[in-house]
Amino acid sequence: MSSEFFRLVMHPFKFRFFLLSKLPSAYFSGVRVRYVDEKKAIVTIPYKWFSTNPFKSTYFACLSMAAEMSTGVLAMAHIYKRTPGVSMLVLKVQGNFFKKASGTTTFTCEDGELIKHTIEDALARGDGRTITAVAIGKNAADEVVATFEITWSFKGKSE
């Protein structure tokens, strides 16, 4: 199932249509999934008119969207077309900012295996489970711009 999901996410039009219809602020801000597999996701957010702030850098909320997407796309991969279904919810977002984001920021999350195990644990136990996934945002010079810790909750749906 994951390979089908990855093909959808990486399709040049289908995932952008998903963003436009379900997450229009991410679409218009320019959030894009550049790479995803079961373990890692790479998501970018450009510095442009729609994502800027008055200080000539990327608005923190746009950085947060890209960071959340890098963790969320991994979670979505592990629950895609799963029976029984699994609900997912962001419980907490914590961001730390280190440099001005004045170009494209690339967020990488490498917590896919931990997310998968948390989902499996939630289904096995029959209750909600949480995980805090880390997304690291870097600029073109490979300098850390921001880090985010996104806490997700997963719970199996009744059939």
Side-chain angles (χ1 to χ4, degrees), residues 53-92:
N53 64 29
F55 310 107
K56 298 181 181 166
S57 62
T58 304
Y59 183 48
F60 83 94
C62 294
L63 293 170
S64 180
M65 277 192 295
E68 187 271 346
M69 179 72 70
S70 73
T71 65
V73 74
L74 290 169
M76 290 170 64
H78 293 295
I79 68 171
Y80 181 71
K81 290 190 175 181
R82 186 173 208 131
T83 304
V86 177
S87 61
M88 56 187 271
L89 178 68
V90 172
L91 296 180
K92 181 180 174 184

PDB file of all heavy atoms in Angstrom, residues 53-92:
ATOM      1  N   ASN A  53       7.065  37.446   5.515  1.00  0.00           N
ATOM      2  CA  ASN A  53       6.623  38.262   6.640  1.00  0.00           C
ATOM      3  C   ASN A  53       7.205  39.670   6.452  1.00  0.00           C
ATOM      4  O   ASN A  53       7.977  39.903   5.521  1.00  0.00           O
ATOM      5  CB  ASN A  53       7.045  37.627   7.979  1.00  0.00           C
ATOM      6  CG  ASN A  53       8.539  37.545   8.159  1.00  0.00           C
ATOM      7  OD1 ASN A  53       9.303  38.359   7.645  1.00  0.00           O
ATOM      8  ND2 ASN A  53       8.989  36.553   8.909  1.00  0.00           N
ATOM      9  N   PRO A  54       6.865  40.619   7.311  1.00  0.00           N
ATOM     10  CA  PRO A  54       7.386  41.985   7.135  1.00  0.00           C
ATOM     11  C   PRO A  54       8.897  42.123   7.330  1.00  0.00           C
ATOM     12  O   PRO A  54       9.472  43.159   7.030  1.00  0.00           O
ATOM     13  CB  PRO A  54       6.646  42.787   8.217  1.00  0.00           C
ATOM     14  CG  PRO A  54       5.486  41.966   8.620  1.00  0.00           C
ATOM     15  CD  PRO A  54       5.858  40.549   8.365  1.00  0.00           C
ATOM     16  N   PHE A  55       9.550  41.082   7.816  1.00  0.00           N
ATOM     17  CA  PHE A  55      10.983  41.143   8.101  1.00  0.00           C
ATOM     18  C   PHE A  55      11.819  40.524   6.985  1.00  0.00           C
ATOM     19  O   PHE A  55      12.980  40.190   7.179  1.00  0.00           O
ATOM     20  CB  PHE A  55      11.267  40.461   9.440  1.00  0.00           C
ATOM     21  CG  PHE A  55      10.348  40.958  10.521  1.00  0.00           C
ATOM     22  CD1 PHE A  55       9.320  40.159  11.009  1.00  0.00           C
ATOM     23  CD2 PHE A  55      10.476  42.252  11.018  1.00  0.00           C
ATOM     24  CE1 PHE A  55       8.461  40.627  11.990  1.00  0.00           C
ATOM     25  CE2 PHE A  55       9.615  42.719  12.000  1.00  0.00           C
ATOM     26  CZ  PHE A  55       8.603  41.909  12.482  1.00  0.00           C
ATOM     27  N   LYS A  56      11.200  40.338   5.821  1.00  0.00           N
ATOM     28  CA  LYS A  56      11.873  39.797   4.631  1.00  0.00           C
ATOM     29  C   LYS A  56      12.452  38.407   4.867  1.00  0.00           C
ATOM     30  O   LYS A  56      13.571  38.102   4.490  1.00  0.00           O
ATOM     31  CB  LYS A  56      12.935  40.766   4.127  1.00  0.00           C
ATOM     32  CG  LYS A  56      12.335  42.086   3.691  1.00  0.00           C
ATOM     33  CD  LYS A  56      13.366  43.032   3.166  1.00  0.00           C
ATOM     34  CE  LYS A  56      12.652  44.329   2.778  1.00  0.00           C
ATOM     35  NZ  LYS A  56      13.560  45.415   2.566  1.00  0.00           N
ATOM     36  N   SER A  57      11.638  37.564   5.506  1.00  0.00           N
ATOM     37  CA  SER A  57      11.981  36.153   5.679  1.00  0.00           C
ATOM     38  C   SER A  57      10.692  35.337   5.601  1.00  0.00           C
ATOM     39  O   SER A  57       9.597  35.903   5.548  1.00  0.00           O
ATOM     40  CB  SER A  57      12.700  35.916   7.007  1.00  0.00           C
ATOM     41  OG  SER A  57      11.876  36.250   8.104  1.00  0.00           O
ATOM     42  N   THR A  58      10.821  34.035   5.602  1.00  0.00           N
ATOM     43  CA  THR A  58       9.643  33.166   5.523  1.00  0.00           C
ATOM     44  C   THR A  58       8.892  33.228   6.851  1.00  0.00           C
ATOM     45  O   THR A  58       9.476  33.082   7.924  1.00  0.00           O
ATOM     46  CB  THR A  58      10.052  31.720   5.207  1.00  0.00           C
ATOM     47  OG1 THR A  58      10.821  31.710   4.010  1.00  0.00           O
ATOM     48  CG2 THR A  58       8.838  30.826   5.018  1.00  0.00           C
ATOM     49  N   TYR A  59       7.586  33.428   6.761  1.00  0.00           N
ATOM     50  CA  TYR A  59       6.712  33.509   7.919  1.00  0.00           C
ATOM     51  C   TYR A  59       6.773  32.191   8.692  1.00  0.00           C
ATOM     52  O   TYR A  59       6.759  31.106   8.099  1.00  0.00           O
ATOM     53  CB  TYR A  59       5.289  33.816   7.450  1.00  0.00           C
ATOM     54  CG  TYR A  59       4.272  34.005   8.525  1.00  0.00           C
ATOM     55  CD1 TYR A  59       4.496  34.830   9.612  1.00  0.00           C
ATOM     56  CD2 TYR A  59       3.042  33.356   8.436  1.00  0.00           C
ATOM     57  CE1 TYR A  59       3.538  35.007  10.591  1.00  0.00           C
ATOM     58  CE2 TYR A  59       2.072  33.533   9.403  1.00  0.00           C
ATOM     59  CZ  TYR A  59       2.327  34.357  10.484  1.00  0.00           C
ATOM     60  OH  TYR A  59       1.367  34.524  11.447  1.00  0.00           O
ATOM     61  N   PHE A  60       6.837  32.268  10.015  1.00  0.00           N
ATOM     62  CA  PHE A  60       7.006  31.069  10.832  1.00  0.00           C
ATOM     63  C   PHE A  60       5.889  30.057  10.615  1.00  0.00           C
ATOM     64  O   PHE A  60       6.114  28.849  10.704  1.00  0.00           O
ATOM     65  CB  PHE A  60       7.142  31.424  12.319  1.00  0.00           C
ATOM     66  CG  PHE A  60       5.829  31.637  13.020  1.00  0.00           C
ATOM     67  CD1 PHE A  60       5.221  30.599  13.703  1.00  0.00           C
ATOM     68  CD2 PHE A  60       5.198  32.874  12.983  1.00  0.00           C
ATOM     69  CE1 PHE A  60       4.004  30.781  14.339  1.00  0.00           C
ATOM     70  CE2 PHE A  60       3.992  33.070  13.620  1.00  0.00           C
ATOM     71  CZ  PHE A  60       3.387  32.024  14.301  1.00  0.00           C
ATOM     72  N   ALA A  61       4.674  30.511  10.350  1.00  0.00           N
ATOM     73  CA  ALA A  61       3.565  29.579  10.137  1.00  0.00           C
ATOM     74  C   ALA A  61       3.774  28.758   8.865  1.00  0.00           C
ATOM     75  O   ALA A  61       3.402  27.586   8.810  1.00  0.00           O
ATOM     76  CB  ALA A  61       2.241  30.337  10.066  1.00  0.00           C
ATOM     77  N   CYS A  62       4.391  29.350   7.850  1.00  0.00           N
ATOM     78  CA  CYS A  62       4.696  28.613   6.619  1.00  0.00           C
ATOM     79  C   CYS A  62       5.796  27.595   6.876  1.00  0.00           C
ATOM     80  O   CYS A  62       5.744  26.468   6.363  1.00  0.00           O
ATOM     81  CB  CYS A  62       5.077  29.574   5.501  1.00  0.00           C
ATOM     82  SG  CYS A  62       3.708  30.638   5.007  1.00  0.00           S
ATOM     83  N   LEU A  63       6.788  27.966   7.671  1.00  0.00           N
ATOM     84  CA  LEU A  63       7.824  27.009   8.059  1.00  0.00           C
ATOM     85  C   LEU A  63       7.195  25.845   8.827  1.00  0.00           C
ATOM     86  O   LEU A  63       7.526  24.681   8.604  1.00  0.00           O
ATOM     87  CB  LEU A  63       8.900  27.682   8.906  1.00  0.00           C
ATOM     88  CG  LEU A  63       9.767  28.721   8.204  1.00  0.00           C
ATOM     89  CD1 LEU A  63      10.621  29.469   9.219  1.00  0.00           C
ATOM     90  CD2 LEU A  63      10.631  28.090   7.129  1.00  0.00           C
ATOM     91  N   SER A  64       6.256  26.171   9.707  1.00  0.00           N
ATOM     92  CA  SER A  64       5.571  25.153  10.488  1.00  0.00           C
ATOM     93  C   SER A  64       4.769  24.202   9.595  1.00  0.00           C
ATOM     94  O   SER A  64       4.753  22.990   9.819  1.00  0.00           O
ATOM     95  CB  SER A  64       4.650  25.818  11.513  1.00  0.00           C
ATOM     96  OG  SER A  64       3.979  24.867  12.288  1.00  0.00           O
ATOM     97  N   MET A  65       4.117  24.751   8.564  1.00  0.00           N
ATOM     98  CA  MET A  65       3.364  23.899   7.622  1.00  0.00           C
ATOM     99  C   MET A  65       4.270  22.886   6.954  1.00  0.00           C
ATOM    100  O   MET A  65       3.923  21.706   6.825  1.00  0.00           O
ATOM    101  CB  MET A  65       2.687  24.736   6.532  1.00  0.00           C
ATOM    102  CG  MET A  65       1.375  25.331   6.907  1.00  0.00           C
ATOM    103  SD  MET A  65       0.492  25.989   5.482  1.00  0.00           S
ATOM    104  CE  MET A  65       1.556  27.318   4.973  1.00  0.00           C
ATOM    105  N   ALA A  66       5.420  23.341   6.488  1.00  0.00           N
ATOM    106  CA  ALA A  66       6.346  22.443   5.799  1.00  0.00           C
ATOM    107  C   ALA A  66       6.906  21.398   6.766  1.00  0.00           C
ATOM    108  O   ALA A  66       7.025  20.218   6.403  1.00  0.00           O
ATOM    109  CB  ALA A  66       7.478  23.237   5.160  1.00  0.00           C
ATOM    110  N   ALA A  67       7.229  21.812   7.975  1.00  0.00           N
ATOM    111  CA  ALA A  67       7.737  20.864   8.973  1.00  0.00           C
ATOM    112  C   ALA A  67       6.678  19.813   9.293  1.00  0.00           C
ATOM    113  O   ALA A  67       6.965  18.611   9.333  1.00  0.00           O
ATOM    114  CB  ALA A  67       8.153  21.609  10.238  1.00  0.00           C
ATOM    115  N   GLU A  68       5.450  20.269   9.509  1.00  0.00           N
ATOM    116  CA  GLU A  68       4.354  19.339   9.815  1.00  0.00           C
ATOM    117  C   GLU A  68       4.122  18.389   8.652  1.00  0.00           C
ATOM    118  O   GLU A  68       3.878  17.196   8.849  1.00  0.00           O
ATOM    119  CB  GLU A  68       3.088  20.129  10.149  1.00  0.00           C
ATOM    120  CG  GLU A  68       1.934  19.267  10.653  1.00  0.00           C
ATOM    121  CD  GLU A  68       1.044  18.752   9.529  1.00  0.00           C
ATOM    122  OE1 GLU A  68       1.133  19.256   8.387  1.00  0.00           O
ATOM    123  OE2 GLU A  68       0.260  17.839   9.788  1.00  0.00           O
ATOM    124  N   MET A  69       4.196  18.886   7.425  1.00  0.00           N
ATOM    125  CA  MET A  69       4.004  18.036   6.254  1.00  0.00           C
ATOM    126  C   MET A  69       5.072  16.948   6.188  1.00  0.00           C
ATOM    127  O   MET A  69       4.771  15.814   5.820  1.00  0.00           O
ATOM    128  CB  MET A  69       4.022  18.873   4.978  1.00  0.00           C
ATOM    129  CG  MET A  69       3.845  18.071   3.701  1.00  0.00           C
ATOM    130  SD  MET A  69       2.180  17.432   3.468  1.00  0.00           S
ATOM    131  CE  MET A  69       1.305  18.939   3.132  1.00  0.00           C
ATOM    132  N   SER A  70       6.315  17.274   6.562  1.00  0.00           N
ATOM    133  CA  SER A  70       7.375  16.267   6.498  1.00  0.00           C
ATOM    134  C   SER A  70       7.130  15.123   7.476  1.00  0.00           C
ATOM    135  O   SER A  70       7.534  13.990   7.217  1.00  0.00           O
ATOM    136  CB  SER A  70       8.753  16.904   6.728  1.00  0.00           C
ATOM    137  OG  SER A  70       8.951  17.267   8.069  1.00  0.00           O
ATOM    138  N   THR A  71       6.469  15.391   8.574  1.00  0.00           N
ATOM    139  CA  THR A  71       6.130  14.328   9.522  1.00  0.00           C
ATOM    140  C   THR A  71       4.798  13.678   9.151  1.00  0.00           C
ATOM    141  O   THR A  71       4.652  12.468   9.214  1.00  0.00           O
ATOM    142  CB  THR A  71       6.068  14.857  10.967  1.00  0.00           C
ATOM    143  OG1 THR A  71       5.005  15.804  11.110  1.00  0.00           O
ATOM    144  CG2 THR A  71       7.379  15.503  11.379  1.00  0.00           C
ATOM    145  N   GLY A  72       3.852  14.499   8.741  1.00  0.00           N
ATOM    146  CA  GLY A  72       2.506  14.008   8.444  1.00  0.00           C
ATOM    147  C   GLY A  72       2.436  13.109   7.226  1.00  0.00           C
ATOM    148  O   GLY A  72       1.656  12.150   7.198  1.00  0.00           O
ATOM    149  N   VAL A  73       3.246  13.391   6.205  1.00  0.00           N
ATOM    150  CA  VAL A  73       3.217  12.548   5.009  1.00  0.00           C
ATOM    151  C   VAL A  73       3.735  11.147   5.341  1.00  0.00           C
ATOM    152  O   VAL A  73       3.272  10.150   4.771  1.00  0.00           O
ATOM    153  CB  VAL A  73       3.973  13.207   3.832  1.00  0.00           C
ATOM    154  CG1 VAL A  73       5.480  13.157   4.012  1.00  0.00           C
ATOM    155  CG2 VAL A  73       3.572  12.595   2.506  1.00  0.00           C
ATOM    156  N   LEU A  74       4.663  11.047   6.288  1.00  0.00           N
ATOM    157  CA  LEU A  74       5.127   9.731   6.740  1.00  0.00           C
ATOM    158  C   LEU A  74       4.009   8.980   7.461  1.00  0.00           C
ATOM    159  O   LEU A  74       3.812   7.782   7.249  1.00  0.00           O
ATOM    160  CB  LEU A  74       6.345   9.878   7.651  1.00  0.00           C
ATOM    161  CG  LEU A  74       7.629  10.328   6.970  1.00  0.00           C
ATOM    162  CD1 LEU A  74       8.683  10.700   8.014  1.00  0.00           C
ATOM    163  CD2 LEU A  74       8.156   9.256   6.033  1.00  0.00           C
ATOM    164  N   ALA A  75       3.282   9.695   8.310  1.00  0.00           N
ATOM    165  CA  ALA A  75       2.158   9.073   9.015  1.00  0.00           C
ATOM    166  C   ALA A  75       1.084   8.634   8.025  1.00  0.00           C
ATOM    167  O   ALA A  75       0.559   7.514   8.115  1.00  0.00           O
ATOM    168  CB  ALA A  75       1.583  10.052  10.033  1.00  0.00           C
ATOM    169  N   MET A  76       0.767   9.498   7.077  1.00  0.00           N
ATOM    170  CA  MET A  76      -0.252   9.160   6.082  1.00  0.00           C
ATOM    171  C   MET A  76       0.146   7.919   5.282  1.00  0.00           C
ATOM    172  O   MET A  76      -0.700   7.097   4.938  1.00  0.00           O
ATOM    173  CB  MET A  76      -0.497  10.346   5.149  1.00  0.00           C
ATOM    174  CG  MET A  76      -1.195  11.511   5.829  1.00  0.00           C
ATOM    175  SD  MET A  76      -1.237  13.012   4.822  1.00  0.00           S
ATOM    176  CE  MET A  76      -2.227  12.481   3.440  1.00  0.00           C
ATOM    177  N   ALA A  77       1.433   7.781   5.003  1.00  0.00           N
ATOM    178  CA  ALA A  77       1.912   6.615   4.256  1.00  0.00           C
ATOM    179  C   ALA A  77       1.624   5.323   5.005  1.00  0.00           C
ATOM    180  O   ALA A  77       1.301   4.305   4.391  1.00  0.00           O
ATOM    181  CB  ALA A  77       3.407   6.743   3.984  1.00  0.00           C
ATOM    182  N   HIS A  78       1.721   5.378   6.327  1.00  0.00           N
ATOM    183  CA  HIS A  78       1.548   4.157   7.114  1.00  0.00           C
ATOM    184  C   HIS A  78       0.089   3.868   7.465  1.00  0.00           C
ATOM    185  O   HIS A  78      -0.200   2.772   7.962  1.00  0.00           O
ATOM    186  CB  HIS A  78       2.403   4.226   8.378  1.00  0.00           C
ATOM    187  CG  HIS A  78       3.867   4.212   8.080  1.00  0.00           C
ATOM    188  ND1 HIS A  78       4.504   3.130   7.518  1.00  0.00           N
ATOM    189  CD2 HIS A  78       4.823   5.158   8.230  1.00  0.00           C
ATOM    190  CE1 HIS A  78       5.784   3.400   7.348  1.00  0.00           C
ATOM    191  NE2 HIS A  78       6.008   4.628   7.771  1.00  0.00           N
ATOM    192  N   ILE A  79      -0.816   4.808   7.193  1.00  0.00           N
ATOM    193  CA  ILE A  79      -2.236   4.533   7.454  1.00  0.00           C
ATOM    194  C   ILE A  79      -3.068   4.490   6.171  1.00  0.00           C
ATOM    195  O   ILE A  79      -4.249   4.183   6.217  1.00  0.00           O
ATOM    196  CB  ILE A  79      -2.848   5.548   8.453  1.00  0.00           C
ATOM    197  CG1 ILE A  79      -2.934   6.946   7.861  1.00  0.00           C
ATOM    198  CG2 ILE A  79      -2.077   5.545   9.764  1.00  0.00           C
ATOM    199  CD1 ILE A  79      -3.725   7.918   8.721  1.00  0.00           C
ATOM    200  N   TYR A  80      -2.451   4.744   5.044  1.00  0.00           N
ATOM    201  CA  TYR A  80      -3.154   4.798   3.763  1.00  0.00           C
ATOM    202  C   TYR A  80      -3.857   3.468   3.478  1.00  0.00           C
ATOM    203  O   TYR A  80      -3.230   2.411   3.467  1.00  0.00           O
ATOM    204  CB  TYR A  80      -2.161   5.130   2.651  1.00  0.00           C
ATOM    205  CG  TYR A  80      -2.765   5.249   1.279  1.00  0.00           C
ATOM    206  CD1 TYR A  80      -3.575   6.324   0.958  1.00  0.00           C
ATOM    207  CD2 TYR A  80      -2.519   4.297   0.302  1.00  0.00           C
ATOM    208  CE1 TYR A  80      -4.122   6.459  -0.305  1.00  0.00           C
ATOM    209  CE2 TYR A  80      -3.057   4.417  -0.964  1.00  0.00           C
ATOM    210  CZ  TYR A  80      -3.859   5.493  -1.264  1.00  0.00           C
ATOM    211  OH  TYR A  80      -4.407   5.613  -2.513  1.00  0.00           O
ATOM    212  N   LYS A  81      -5.160   3.540   3.265  1.00  0.00           N
ATOM    213  CA  LYS A  81      -6.015   2.389   2.931  1.00  0.00           C
ATOM    214  C   LYS A  81      -5.899   1.240   3.931  1.00  0.00           C
ATOM    215  O   LYS A  81      -6.078   0.086   3.589  1.00  0.00           O
ATOM    216  CB  LYS A  81      -5.721   1.893   1.513  1.00  0.00           C
ATOM    217  CG  LYS A  81      -6.174   2.854   0.436  1.00  0.00           C
ATOM    218  CD  LYS A  81      -6.094   2.225  -0.936  1.00  0.00           C
ATOM    219  CE  LYS A  81      -6.662   3.166  -1.984  1.00  0.00           C
ATOM    220  NZ  LYS A  81      -6.605   2.563  -3.325  1.00  0.00           N
ATOM    221  N   ARG A  82      -5.613   1.564   5.171  1.00  0.00           N
ATOM    222  CA  ARG A  82      -5.462   0.538   6.201  1.00  0.00           C
ATOM    223  C   ARG A  82      -6.831   0.150   6.744  1.00  0.00           C
ATOM    224  O   ARG A  82      -7.708   0.985   6.911  1.00  0.00           O
ATOM    225  CB  ARG A  82      -4.581   1.091   7.320  1.00  0.00           C
ATOM    226  CG  ARG A  82      -4.250   0.066   8.339  1.00  0.00           C
ATOM    227  CD  ARG A  82      -3.243   0.631   9.324  1.00  0.00           C
ATOM    228  NE  ARG A  82      -2.505  -0.497   9.808  1.00  0.00           N
ATOM    229  CZ  ARG A  82      -1.203  -0.577   9.874  1.00  0.00           C
ATOM    230  NH1 ARG A  82      -0.470   0.423   9.493  1.00  0.00           N
ATOM    231  NH2 ARG A  82      -0.613  -1.647  10.332  1.00  0.00           N
ATOM    232  N   THR A  83      -7.002  -1.138   7.030  1.00  0.00           N
ATOM    233  CA  THR A  83      -8.225  -1.637   7.637  1.00  0.00           C
ATOM    234  C   THR A  83      -7.858  -2.381   8.909  1.00  0.00           C
ATOM    235  O   THR A  83      -7.051  -3.301   8.841  1.00  0.00           O
ATOM    236  CB  THR A  83      -8.969  -2.580   6.665  1.00  0.00           C
ATOM    237  OG1 THR A  83      -9.216  -1.888   5.452  1.00  0.00           O
ATOM    238  CG2 THR A  83     -10.291  -3.027   7.254  1.00  0.00           C
ATOM    239  N   PRO A  84      -8.406  -2.021  10.063  1.00  0.00           N
ATOM    240  CA  PRO A  84      -9.280  -0.867  10.259  1.00  0.00           C
ATOM    241  C   PRO A  84      -8.508   0.439  10.101  1.00  0.00           C
ATOM    242  O   PRO A  84      -7.283   0.457  10.176  1.00  0.00           O
ATOM    243  CB  PRO A  84      -9.758  -1.039  11.703  1.00  0.00           C
ATOM    244  CG  PRO A  84      -8.674  -1.810  12.379  1.00  0.00           C
ATOM    245  CD  PRO A  84      -8.083  -2.709  11.319  1.00  0.00           C
ATOM    246  N   GLY A  85      -9.257   1.488   9.886  1.00  0.00           N
ATOM    247  CA  GLY A  85      -8.655   2.800   9.696  1.00  0.00           C
ATOM    248  C   GLY A  85      -7.978   3.311  10.962  1.00  0.00           C
ATOM    249  O   GLY A  85      -8.211   2.806  12.062  1.00  0.00           O
ATOM    250  N   VAL A  86      -7.142   4.294  10.772  1.00  0.00           N
ATOM    251  CA  VAL A  86      -6.414   4.899  11.893  1.00  0.00           C
ATOM    252  C   VAL A  86      -6.621   6.406  11.822  1.00  0.00           C
ATOM    253  O   VAL A  86      -6.441   7.007  10.761  1.00  0.00           O
ATOM    254  CB  VAL A  86      -4.904   4.581  11.825  1.00  0.00           C
ATOM    255  CG1 VAL A  86      -4.148   5.282  12.946  1.00  0.00           C
ATOM    256  CG2 VAL A  86      -4.663   3.081  11.859  1.00  0.00           C
ATOM    257  N   SER A  87      -7.040   6.997  12.940  1.00  0.00           N
ATOM    258  CA  SER A  87      -7.149   8.454  12.980  1.00  0.00           C
ATOM    259  C   SER A  87      -5.830   9.041  13.474  1.00  0.00           C
ATOM    260  O   SER A  87      -5.129   8.431  14.283  1.00  0.00           O
ATOM    261  CB  SER A  87      -8.308   8.899  13.872  1.00  0.00           C
ATOM    262  OG  SER A  87      -8.113   8.474  15.193  1.00  0.00           O
ATOM    263  N   MET A  88      -5.497  10.198  12.935  1.00  0.00           N
ATOM    264  CA  MET A  88      -4.261  10.875  13.332  1.00  0.00           C
ATOM    265  C   MET A  88      -4.570  12.328  13.634  1.00  0.00           C
ATOM    266  O   MET A  88      -5.428  12.928  12.991  1.00  0.00           O
ATOM    267  CB  MET A  88      -3.184  10.750  12.249  1.00  0.00           C
ATOM    268  CG  MET A  88      -3.567  11.235  10.880  1.00  0.00           C
ATOM    269  SD  MET A  88      -2.332  10.861   9.614  1.00  0.00           S
ATOM    270  CE  MET A  88      -1.296  12.306   9.710  1.00  0.00           C
ATOM    271  N   LEU A  89      -3.876  12.869  14.617  1.00  0.00           N
ATOM    272  CA  LEU A  89      -4.144  14.230  15.056  1.00  0.00           C
ATOM    273  C   LEU A  89      -2.871  14.842  15.618  1.00  0.00           C
ATOM    274  O   LEU A  89      -2.146  14.188  16.377  1.00  0.00           O
ATOM    275  CB  LEU A  89      -5.228  14.209  16.153  1.00  0.00           C
ATOM    276  CG  LEU A  89      -5.629  15.533  16.774  1.00  0.00           C
ATOM    277  CD1 LEU A  89      -6.363  16.393  15.754  1.00  0.00           C
ATOM    278  CD2 LEU A  89      -6.497  15.290  17.991  1.00  0.00           C
ATOM    279  N   VAL A  90      -2.612  16.086  15.243  1.00  0.00           N
ATOM    280  CA  VAL A  90      -1.485  16.812  15.841  1.00  0.00           C
ATOM    281  C   VAL A  90      -1.913  17.278  17.231  1.00  0.00           C
ATOM    282  O   VAL A  90      -2.944  17.935  17.386  1.00  0.00           O
ATOM    283  CB  VAL A  90      -1.072  18.026  14.980  1.00  0.00           C
ATOM    284  CG1 VAL A  90      -0.044  18.879  15.710  1.00  0.00           C
ATOM    285  CG2 VAL A  90      -0.526  17.579  13.639  1.00  0.00           C
ATOM    286  N   LEU A  91      -1.117  16.940  18.223  1.00  0.00           N
ATOM    287  CA  LEU A  91      -1.398  17.354  19.596  1.00  0.00           C
ATOM    288  C   LEU A  91      -0.574  18.564  20.015  1.00  0.00           C
ATOM    289  O   LEU A  91      -1.011  19.367  20.833  1.00  0.00           O
ATOM    290  CB  LEU A  91      -1.096  16.209  20.577  1.00  0.00           C
ATOM    291  CG  LEU A  91      -1.939  14.955  20.444  1.00  0.00           C
ATOM    292  CD1 LEU A  91      -1.495  13.928  21.490  1.00  0.00           C
ATOM    293  CD2 LEU A  91      -3.412  15.271  20.611  1.00  0.00           C
ATOM    294  N   LYS A  92       0.638  18.675  19.474  1.00  0.00           N
ATOM    295  CA  LYS A  92       1.532  19.749  19.917  1.00  0.00           C
ATOM    296  C   LYS A  92       2.554  20.035  18.825  1.00  0.00           C
ATOM    297  O   LYS A  92       3.020  19.123  18.150  1.00  0.00           O
ATOM    298  CB  LYS A  92       2.257  19.306  21.195  1.00  0.00           C
ATOM    299  CG  LYS A  92       3.200  20.321  21.788  1.00  0.00           C
ATOM    300  CD  LYS A  92       3.845  19.756  23.052  1.00  0.00           C
ATOM    301  CE  LYS A  92       4.894  20.680  23.593  1.00  0.00           C
ATOM    302  NZ  LYS A  92       5.578  20.107  24.760  1.00  0.00           N
TER     303      LYS A  92
END
